[in-house]
Amino acid sequence: MTYEELEPKKVFSYFKQLSAIPRGSGNERAAAEFVRDTALSLGHEAEIDGANNVLIRAKATPGYEDKAPVLLQGHLDMVCEANRGTKHDFLKDPIELVLDGEILRANGTTLGADDGVSEATALAILASDDVPHPALECLFTTDEENGMTGMREFDPSKLTARRLINIDSAGEGEATVSCAGGVRSHILFAGEKTPPDGGSSVLHIEVAGLAGGHSGEDIHLGRKNAIAETARILWAGSKASPLRIVSFAGGNRDNAIPRECSAVVAVRDPGAFRAAADEEIRKIAAECVPEDGNFRAEIESAEAGPAFGCERSLDLLTLLRNLPNGVHGMSKAVPGLVETSSNLAVVREEEDGIKIVVSSRSSVESRLDDMQNRVECAAHPAGAQVSHAGRYPGWDPMSDSPLQRLYRETWKDCFGTEAKIVGIHAGLECGLLKSRIPDMDIISIGPDIRNLHSPDETLNVGSLSRLYRLVCEMLRRMA
Ligand SMILES: [Zn+2]
């Protein structure tokens, strides 16, 4: 089968036209104009706002005039990644589509099925004369992959619909009905370091070999956090010998579970310290999940340097051990989904002290408030300063909403299997919109897209034609 023979023809034709237009995050103007002009030429209302978001309004088809409107939504931008050795100018060159049986891929670059399938699906519906539907609003946002600034700047008062089918998920037969919000807490631990004293040995402790992972999606897997384990080892050692911290550093990204951490300490009784630390290291190794099987913690002699006093050193260890880290609650609506978590992400030395970053996530806003308070509670006894930054809202699921029921029933009638209702412990644009329009009933769905954000991105073309059929049938049933 050739690309031109794929059904429904309109869906794949619009996807191909869009693929010819460069549309990396921040460079969506031409794609926005294509979508707007296509909608205008089909006789609908369409406009581009100041952030290059496109909003289309289509009238209800006969017999659906008195039905509540529906919003279809996705994003215009795509992640631009190319294989080493692939020559591709993402500001000029079209994405080259390669069809290999049921699998569509690009030639050495990201495909942009995330999220070109949303525009292709909506435009095909707007171009059809055989898909009955209530009044439609179609919103295509910009810069989703780079901070969701399009959705942040969109004026939600332009929307009248109170049910949203978001087409930006990647698993066929699954509807996402919840995502997490997040916030970063910055903790500054200050203290005076004094020159080394004569009677101490200086030791370097290095923790490495841990699996790490995404701070949201992997937080429930029981993997060890290198910063937390280093603090644990030092605390155990501090009970055997007085200790002064010379340096402490671990982790490097807010959204990753730290895999490595190191510290330098001056200890009065190195033999006793090592024995206690080694005992703790053995306990940690015995607790590790298989992915953390390469865990190691090594202690070696090091150069002396200025250090915090004994009391201030214990303050730092107590702070690191008291900061929230890991899973703090599971969803009541979606089985197996993490509701609230935090990640002790980064510790680094800066000019004015030791900077610590904790990134917290929750689908429940009040739990995110509480995570900020818990960070402040841990910081208070150490006299550390706390500020919170980059907060974005989550999306707490409505159990069994009318739109979820319609989705499940339509899926079953069309394809004979049970659809799944899922949530993700990471961010989605739906969360932002839901925070501004709390009574919006939302599902997020999509075709089978694999290896998102990489040159190995693929789309199963059969799953896109089934997605189109499903969305059309859901609209038809809104009578
Ligand atoms: Zn996307």
Side-chain angles (χ1 to χ4, degrees):
M1 184 176 286
T2 66
Y3 187 90
E4 275 61 36
E5 290 167 324
L6 292 173
E7 294 283 354
K9 289 210 165 51
K10 284 195 186 103
V11 175
F12 287 96
S13 165
Y14 284 126
F15 185 74
K16 188 171 184 176
Q17 292 174 65
L18 199 61
S19 300
I21 306 169
R23 55 183 217 286
S25 302
N27 180 39
E28 301 95 341
R29 182 73 197 183
E33 288 174 358
F34 166 74
V35 172
R36 177 197 60 189
D37 295 347
T38 304
L40 289 173
S41 73
L42 294 166
H44 306 295
E45 282 177 39
E47 61 180 42
I48 296 178
D49 72 6
N52 285 329
N53 298 305
V54 182
L55 179 62
I56 302 167
R57 288 193 184 84
K59 290 197 176 66
T61 55
Y64 285 72
E65 294 89 344
D66 61 338
K67 304 301 169 201
V70 186
L71 172 62
L72 302 178
Q73 189 258 322
H75 59 90
L76 287 165
D77 59 315
M78 63 177 276
V79 172
C80 297
E81 287 288 332
N83 280 326
R84 233 177 278 240
T86 298
K87 269 200 168 168
H88 189 95
D89 184 343
F90 281 103
L91 293 175
K92 284 210 291 264
D93 299 338
I95 300 294
E96 197 182 319
L97 304 179
V98 181
L99 183 63
D100 186 358
E102 275 271 280
I103 300 301
L104 186 66
R105 67 180 83 243
N107 186 10
T109 69
T110 35
L111 174 64
D114 172 16
D115 191 23
V117 297
S118 67
E119 289 86 20
T121 301
L123 289 175
I125 291 168
L126 295 172
S128 71
D129 46 19
D130 58 352
V131 182
H133 58 73
L136 290 178
E137 294 171 328
C138 303
L139 172 64
F140 301 107
T141 55
T142 51
D143 208 33
E144 190 272 348
E145 304 285 6
N146 195 28
M148 307 189 192
T149 50
M151 185 61 97
R152 280 177 204 274
E153 288 172 29
F154 177 72
D155 173 6
S157 70
K158 291 180 176 174
L159 298 174
T160 60
R162 288 297 177 268
R163 39 191 180 168
L164 160 59
I165 301 175
N166 165 283
I167 304 176
D168 187 23
S169 283
E172 192 184 13
E174 289 179 357
T176 302
V177 301
S178 169
C179 76
V183 67
R184 286 189 316 276
S185 300
H186 296 264
I187 302 111
L188 181 66
F189 177 91
E192 212 186 320
K193 285 184 177 173
T194 54
D197 47 48
S200 292
S201 297
V202 181
L203 299 173
H204 177 259
I205 291 101
E206 174 145 21
V207 168
L210 294 170
H214 186 270
S215 66
E217 302 266 85
D218 298 325
I219 197 74
H220 62 294
L221 299 177
R223 296 176 184 169
K224 298 281 189 191
N225 175 310
I227 295 169
E229 299 312 321
T230 303
R232 174 177 167 180
I233 294 164
L234 294 184
W235 180 262
S238 78
K239 294 206 275 188
S241 162
L243 151 165
R244 296 175 62 202
I245 293 177
V246 177
S247 67
F248 196 112
N252 48 30
R253 283 192 296 141
D254 300 345
N255 64 355
I257 298 169
R259 297 161 46 239
E260 293 172 357
C261 183
S262 64
V264 175
V265 293
V267 296
R268 201 50 70 70
D269 182 344
F273 176 87
R274 273 179 184 263
D278 283 339
E279 172 70 21
E280 201 68 19
I281 291 166
R282 271 194 296 278
K283 290 182 191 168
I284 294 167
E287 293 164 5
C288 281
V289 295
E291 298 101 297
D292 281 338
N294 292 325
F295 162 75
R296 57 177 207 278
E298 280 152 11
I299 303 177
E300 286 169 359
S301 300
E303 292 275 315
F308 293 119
C310 284
E311 271 307 305
R312 202 60 186 143
S313 295
L314 292 185
D315 285 347
L316 177 58
L317 293 181
T318 310
L319 168 61
L320 290 170
R321 302 220 65 198
N322 283 345
L323 283 168
N325 179 53
V327 174
H328 303 292
M330 303 297 289
S331 167
K332 287 164 279 298
V334 182
L337 174 67
V338 177
E339 177 216 76
T340 305
S341 74
S342 58
N343 177 45
L344 178 52
V346 180
V347 179
R348 64 173 168 257
E349 303 248 358
E350 292 190 352
E351 227 158 72
D352 42 359
I354 291 189
K355 178 70 128 346
I356 305 165
V357 182
V358 173
S359 57
S360 301
R361 296 174 190 267
S362 183
S363 53
V364 180
E365 286 298 291
S366 60
R367 292 297 317 269
L368 214 49
D369 295 338
D370 192 46
M371 293 314 293
Q372 293 185 187
N373 287 335
R374 284 196 53 189
V375 169
E376 291 166 17
C377 287
H380 182 74
Q385 294 164 27
V386 180
S387 60
H388 307 289
R391 182 158 169 173
Y392 58 93
W395 162 27
D396 195 21
M398 297 197 228
S399 297
D400 201 32
S401 72
L403 195 57
Q404 287 174 32
R405 275 202 300 281
L406 175 65
Y407 165 76
R408 283 207 319 269
E409 287 163 15
T410 309
W411 177 275
K412 185 154 196 201
D413 293 346
C414 284
F415 308 118
T417 55
E418 298 290 340
K420 278 195 225 126
I421 299 293
V422 301
I424 59 169
H425 194 54
L428 273 182
E429 282 180 311
C430 304
L432 273 175
L433 200 58
K434 180 87 180 169
S435 71
R436 301 207 199 121
I437 310 178
D439 58 338
M440 187 74 94
D441 185 359
I442 309 175
I443 60 169
S444 174
I445 57 176
D448 185 2
I449 304 173
R450 304 266 167 96
N451 307 315
L452 278 81
H453 303 177
S454 98
D456 298 325
E457 181 184 354
T458 59
L459 167 70
N460 179 300
V461 292
S463 74
L464 179 53
S465 78
R466 288 187 290 276
L467 177 78
Y468 180 75
R469 185 176 155 204
L470 176 83
V471 174
C472 293
E473 181 60 18
M474 285 179 70
L475 294 174
R476 194 182 67 75
R477 290 183 182 201
M478 286 173 178

